[in-house]
Structure formats: C-alpha cells, structure tokens
Amino acid sequence: LQGLYRIMSILHLSNLSGSKRIKMTFSPDLSAMLVTSDGLPSSIAPRNDTINANLYLAPLFAERRFDLQILTSSYRSIFFRLRGAKTGIRASLTAWQSALRPLDVKFQSLFRLICKYNVVPQNQHGNVSDIETSSEFIRLELLRFILLGQSTISGEASNAFDQFFTGATFHDQLFQREARGIDAGVASVEGNLRNNVLTPVRALVYETEELYGMAKARGCKANETPLLDPQCALRLYTSARILYLTLERCLAAVVEARSRVNDFLAWIRGTASQVRARGTASDSVQRQNARDRRVPNGVLQRVSDFLSLPMMHTCREAGDKTKIARKLTECIIGAPVSDFFVGDSFSTDIVNENAKRACTLKSALELTFHSSAVLFNQPRILLSESVKNIDLRFEVKHSQLAIHTRRGAWSSKHNHGGIDEGITPNTFFKPHILNMNDGMDRYRRNWMILARSLGRGEIVEVVAIPGCDASENHKCEYFPDYYLRSSLNLPDHYEVTNIAFYGDD
C-alpha cells in the first residue's frame, strides 16, 4: 500500500515452473485477485491436469480497508522517523569524536610525559590504550597541580606539567584557534541532536500513542479480530517513550560536557600563560599576558570539582563495548557522552527485559525498531491466513487470454430481499442469467471477467466469476460456488488474434 507497506507475499505455483506469461487483476476493493498463467506441468500440479488460473479471495481487505489506510500512513511515518533518528545519532557521534580529537592527542602526550618522569607506576607505562586507567592518573595529577602548583610536594609531576604547558602546541594563537574549533564542534553535536534526533523522536512518541489508541479501540469490538494487538502497540509506545527519555538524558549530558570543556579550555590557556611567565621580569609581556588570561575563581572551582568528583552516571550498566568507545578527554572531564551512542546488543526475544536495559540511544533505537517490525507484521499474518485460494482448470485449451474486473450492481438491500432497480446505475455490471438456479445471484459487488479464445480462434468464451461481498459493515461468511459462462461464435474465415478489455467494456 502506497508503495511502502507490504501487505503479504503469496507463492504462486507458476513461479516453480519458470513461467513468464503471468497476468493478474484485482477487484477495486482488493478482496479478489485473479492470476492466470500459461499452465503448469502435471508434475507440479496437485492432480494430473494443469492449473490455468488461481482465484484468491481476501474479504478482510474490504472489511478493514480504512484500518489499512491508517496503518500504511503510520508505517511510513514511524519508519521514516526512526531512520531519521538513526542517521542523526550517527552524525552526532561522528561530530562528538571529531570535536574532542585535538584534546585527546594532547592528553595522550601528557600521559606519555608523566610516564617518562616516573609519576605513573612501571606496570602502566605506555598503556595509553587503557583509557579508563590513563584518565584516572591524569585527573589525579591535574587536581594535584591545581591545588599545589609548582612545589616540592608535587615532585616530578610539576616538571612534567611545566614541559607540557610550554610545548609548541600551546602557543596562544594556535590554542585559541583549536579552542574555537572544539567549542563549535561540541555545539554542533547539541544542535544536531535537537534538530535531527529530538524532533523525529517527539513525533514518534505522538504517533505511537495514537496507534496504541486505535488498536485498543478496535480491540473492544466483539466478534472481531483486531489487526493490531493492543499489547504490542503498548510495547511500541513504551519503547518510543524510553527512546525519548534516553535522548533527554543524552542532551543533558552534552550540555554539561560542553560547559566543562569550556571551563577546562579556559583554565588550560591561563595555566599555560602562567607557566610561560614563570621566571620572567614582573613587567614583562609574559607576566601581563598571564594576568590577563587568569581565569576567575568560579572557573577554577568548577574544574576542581569535576576532576575530584566521580564520573557522571550515564547508563545503568556500562558494558565492555560502551567503555571501549569512551574517549580520553571525556573521561578526564567526567562526562562520558559516548556511552549514549554505543551500547551492547541484546536479544530481541525478551522485550520486557530489554526495556529495562535500553539505557543508551543505540539500544533504545534497536528496541523501537524491533517493536515496530513486530507490530506491523501482525496484519500481514492475519490477512495471509484469511486468503482463500481456488484453482481454475480448463478442459479445453486456449490460444488467447485476457482478464478484467468489474464493479457489480450490489446493494445492502439485497440481503433483506430485493434491490431497488431504479437506483441501480447503468454503469454497474449486471449480467443476464438465462438458467437461474438456486444460489445464483447477479447482484454481486465484484466480478472477475475472463475471456479466452477456443479451438482455432473462432470461438470466444467469456467467464464471469463472482467475488466475495465484504465491506466495513458486512462480513463475507461464504464464498461463491458458481460461475457464469457465455460464448461468442465468430463468422467463418474469422479468427481471434488478440483479446483486450478497455473502458467499461
């Protein structure tokens, strides 16, 4: 439906024989489908003759056509929002890693430097790949440097920091350019999350709530099997809410990390100027620059706080993949934002247990994708089970074949006896039956028309097969067990070369 929502897949026997001459036609309400082919060999056919056509009757299409329209639009919108959120999350992770890369390089060189000064134990020398251990040593030494400065108590660590802050990478103009790039990169992460992830996730929550309301309302009708299970619709709504709440926590962590990065960059710039001014004259340019770039006491207090406090609590249970994805800078500032983007995969069999573990954007998005797929697969199963297949076999072979569908002169009044001939439009198909038997009815809602040429092409046979009459207020409880047949004899020396339907026939 609408070119996006696959209703069902039916394996036709002509696929097994590799037949390419397949024709099909649908009734206007999709309740009947006629498929014709050039015949199957007897080894594939269930009997010793060939199957020339199949009539598929699906009354639920007509009964639930309005529900299917709502489902199609919801399917298209929900998966469009999910794909947009997935793309935005990937872009945000890439932007976050790119923004912190300059600081990661600087802190990796700092760790190697304090290892050379024997500040780190011998068994940890050069172990820069262990991000968590490296960050703990750097955080401890940075806090000690802030509190004690250049003193004998700091030991060799103060010398390592002096060499670190006087390096070429901490030239003031170069560092200012890097600081502006880092701040712009972190700001782009927040903007991307708000514009490309938060907006579709909010719409997703609203649409899943509406879908749950429709499923619950349809489930209240007696003697009617709903297309959607209300419990599955509730799981999808819950998954969308979990994704939204996880995104809000991620945004809060990004805002906090941005504030910490700005304070940290200001303190690094001021500290580098103070180290460069040490030992110079009191009226030198280095002393003046150090006084101008000195950070306020509030910034110094905030930097000391996040260096001394434990790391921010982002996830309930951080797995191995989550810890590996962390960067050195975010571990030093105590804001592991990468935990929200990378998480351990979980089994999709236990949805309730997965909802408790969906504490990252990746896991919450996977849970929502899985819940959506399960929910929208239910109508396919129900509709596939309702399809009835009737095999059509012809005793006489044909050379030309064409199929068509017509709207019949059907009315609900006929169910109570009789139909008003005056209100029946002339454009409706209303066949004339010569030998009327019990059970035959020319007032049918849908007709499948089949025309074929017999013999050498001098006879045209027309077969009218009644479809199943189903609507929103009328269920098809039986299928037609008859068909109408007529033939047209052409004059001598005439034969049929092609058969085609056009217009209203």
Side-chain angles (χ1 to χ4, degrees), residues 133-180:
T133 304
S134 304
S135 62
E136 288 298 327
F137 281 109
I138 296 176
R139 283 164 62 92
L140 179 61
E141 296 302 329
L142 284 174
L143 182 61
R144 186 179 299 173
F145 184 78
I146 292 175
L147 299 178
L148 302 178
Q150 180 73 19
S151 63
T152 56
I153 302 177
S154 300
E156 296 294 337
S158 60
N159 297 328
F161 279 110
D162 288 346
Q163 184 177 345
F164 173 70
F165 284 116
T166 55
T169 57
F170 283 97
H171 187 273
D172 188 65
Q173 293 182 356
L174 177 61
F175 186 75
Q176 276 189 296
R177 190 181 301 114
E178 284 186 349
R180 286 194 294 268

Side-chain angles (χ1 to χ4, degrees), residues 96-97 100 104 131 323-332 338:
W96 175 254
Q97 294 175 348
L100 298 185
D104 290 337
I131 302 297
K323 294 181 180 179
I324 292 176
R326 292 176 180 176
K327 299 301 178 181
L328 185 58
T329 302
E330 59 185 357
C331 291
I332 292 175
S338 298

Side-chain angles (χ1 to χ4, degrees), residues 4-231:
L4 291 174
Y5 183 51
R6 179 180 59 84
I7 303 176
M8 68 171 62
S9 299
I10 301 176
L11 178 62
H12 190 246
L13 290 179
S14 58
N15 295 334
L16 303 178
S17 64
S19 175
K20 297 182 179 179
R21 297 177 55 187
I22 299 177
K23 300 178 182 179
M24 64 175 59
T25 183
F26 292 86
S27 62
D29 58 357
L30 299 180
S31 63
M33 177 180 66
L34 180 62
V35 182
T36 61
S37 62
D38 50 4
L40 294 177
S42 58
S43 59
I44 299 178
R47 298 193 304 185
N48 292 328
D49 50 1
T50 58
I51 301 176
N52 299 94
N54 293 89
L55 179 63
Y56 297 96
L57 300 175
L60 275 182
F61 282 122
E63 297 176 15
R64 309 292 178 84
R65 61 182 182 272
F66 295 114
D67 291 345
L68 286 174
Q69 292 177 2
I70 298 175
L71 284 180
T72 304
S73 60
S74 299
Y75 174 86
R76 178 180 181 181
S77 180
I78 286 176
F79 278 94
F80 175 76
R81 310 290 185 191
L82 288 174
R83 286 190 292 266
K86 185 177 182 179
T87 304
I89 290 173
R90 288 180 177 177
S92 300
L93 177 59
T94 303
W96 175 254
Q97 294 175 348
S98 300
L100 298 185
R101 189 172 293 115
L103 285 178
D104 290 337
V105 174
K106 285 182 172 57
F107 288 126
Q108 287 173 5
S109 63
L110 175 61
F111 183 74
R112 287 191 292 264
L113 193 60
I114 61 177
C115 288
K116 292 180 181 179
Y117 277 90
N118 294 325
V119 178
V120 181
Q122 293 290 334
N123 56 354
Q124 295 293 336
H125 280 196
N127 191 13
V128 186
S129 59
D130 191 356
I131 302 297
E132 193 171 358
T133 304
S134 304
S135 62
E136 288 298 327
F137 281 109
I138 296 176
R139 283 164 62 92
L140 179 61
E141 296 302 329
L142 284 174
L143 182 61
R144 186 179 299 173
F145 184 78
I146 292 175
L147 299 178
L148 302 178
Q150 180 73 19
S151 63
T152 56
I153 302 177
S154 300
E156 296 294 337
S158 60
N159 297 328
F161 279 110
D162 288 346
Q163 184 177 345
F164 173 70
F165 284 116
T166 55
T169 57
F170 283 97
H171 187 273
D172 188 65
Q173 293 182 356
L174 177 61
F175 186 75
Q176 276 189 296
R177 190 181 301 114
E178 284 186 349
R180 286 194 294 268
I182 293 171
D183 182 64
V186 177
S188 67
V189 174
E190 180 183 355
N192 188 43
L193 285 175
R194 293 188 183 278
N195 297 330
N196 300 329
V197 183
L198 183 60
T199 301
V201 169
R202 280 178 175 173
L204 179 66
V205 173
Y206 174 78
E207 291 171 359
T208 53
E209 185 178 10
E210 292 291 321
L211 198 61
Y212 168 61
M214 187 197 76
K216 193 173 182 180
R218 291 294 186 182
C220 295
K221 292 186 177 181
N223 300 326
E224 181 176 315
T225 303
L227 293 179
L228 298 178
D229 183 14
Q231 294 298 324

